[in-house]
Amino acid sequence: MALGEDKVFKYPAEDECLVRRLGSGVMAAWPHLPPEAREKILAEAKLAWDREHFVSKLPDKLAAIIKRRQT
């Protein structure tokens, strides 16, 4: 899914470990990313497909996991 497209990123179950690893990499690099990149990543994360299609308070939970990683 390219930034700015209206397409939802979907992946097969066998790629889930890769998606998790990329997510971990993004979280590790988070403090070094420019604010504009952080905003775009969070916006895309809110739209991304997942087996759990509805997560209550998703923006708050995304912010909390990033905060926990940084401490």
Side-chain angles (χ1 to χ4, degrees), residues 49-68:
W49 174 87
D50 190 80
R51 288 181 296 199
E52 294 184 37
H53 63 281
F54 178 77
V55 178
S56 66
K57 301 180 183 179
L58 180 62
D60 294 336
K61 289 179 178 177
L62 289 171
I65 195 170
I66 290 168
K67 185 177 179 180
R68 279 197 315 263

Side-chain angles (χ1 to χ4, degrees), residues 6-17:
D6 290 337
K7 187 176 179 183
V8 175
F9 172 68
K10 292 186 177 184
Y11 54 89
E14 62 267 17
D15 288 349
E16 189 165 343
C17 66

Side-chain angles (χ1 to χ4, degrees), residues 2-30:
L3 294 174
E5 288 185 10
D6 290 337
K7 187 176 179 183
V8 175
F9 172 68
K10 292 186 177 184
Y11 54 89
E14 62 267 17
D15 288 349
E16 189 165 343
C17 66
L18 304 173
V19 174
R20 285 194 310 265
R21 287 171 185 261
L22 283 170
S24 294
V26 168
M27 288 178 17
W30 194 261

